[in-house]
Amino acid sequence: MDLHYVAWLCTFFCFAQVWSLPTNCILRKDLMEKTCTFIETAGGLFPSQCLGHVPISFPQNVFESSTKNQVTGVEKAVYQTLKNIDALFEDYNVPDQWDADKMTDFRGIVYRQIEESKCIMSKSDAAQDFPSREASLKVYFEAIASTLKEKGFSYCAWEIARSEIIRTLNFILKNNSDIMHGSPQL
């Protein structure tokens, strides 16, 4: 009888664990907003000594969809953007002038979004346009990385990179309400 009871409890806890795992494959607006807030406040206002930089061409079309069929391509582009942001901050050290705690929180939330939404990359419904979006993102993030390298990873170089990331995250939030969802229901 005790063995039967233990087997029943094990089965129950196994199913409870499986059922409690997130099942939705979504991009969370609340996490994207937090990501944007942390990177915005980590360094303060754009420093006046860094004005006059050559702007980096922003691939706005990557995050736009004109038909329902392009939504998956945009979702994949947002996911790839998060991966590119994570790689940028993983590969290089940020300026000491930035708030280290906010940058730690920023990196943690970026990583969390990547982990929670990686299933987006397995979506195949009408995402034929993703390769062109991915190519544009690659050029964009290579330009940011090149700016960092060309300017010797200086404070101003990092401020330029930060301003580009803020612009990207704000554009995603403002123009993609159809793919962004609130926090999951518990």
Side-chain angles (χ1 to χ4, degrees), residues 80-178:
Q80 189 62 47
T81 297
L82 292 168
K83 298 257 311 170
N84 288 333
I85 290 170
D86 185 55
L88 193 64
F89 286 97
E90 183 176 74
D91 292 343
Y92 310 112
N93 292 324
V94 298
D96 293 335
Q97 295 94 326
W98 289 1
D99 185 311
D101 291 336
K102 287 181 182 176
M103 286 308 298
T104 299
D105 291 339
F106 166 77
R107 299 257 344 261
I109 291 181
V110 168
Y111 179 78
R112 179 177 172 190
Q113 288 179 91
I114 291 168
E115 288 301 307
E116 288 183 3
S117 61
K118 66 171 67 167
C119 54
I120 286 171
M121 294 309 283
S122 62
K123 287 185 176 182
S124 61
D125 48 314
Q128 296 90 348
D129 66 337
F130 177 66
S132 63
R133 293 173 191 270
E134 185 177 35
S136 295
L137 283 173
K138 182 178 181 188
V139 169
Y140 179 62
F141 279 95
E142 284 175 351
I144 294 172
S146 291
T147 300
L148 285 168
K149 290 174 187 167
E150 289 167 9
K151 296 188 177 286
F153 301 95
S154 67
Y155 175 64
C156 281
W158 274 109
E159 283 295 332
I160 292 166
R162 188 173 70 95
S163 70
E164 288 298 321
I165 291 167
I166 292 168
R167 174 168 63 155
T168 301
L169 294 174
N170 279 327
F171 188 87
I172 290 168
L173 283 166
K174 182 179 177 190
N175 296 288
N176 289 290
S177 58
D178 56 334

Side-chain angles (χ1 to χ4, degrees), residues 27-39:
L27 293 163
R28 288 185 43 196
K29 184 177 183 179
D30 62 323
L31 293 180
M32 191 67 73
E33 288 170 340
K34 286 180 183 179
T35 302
C36 196
T37 299
F38 282 128
I39 191 77

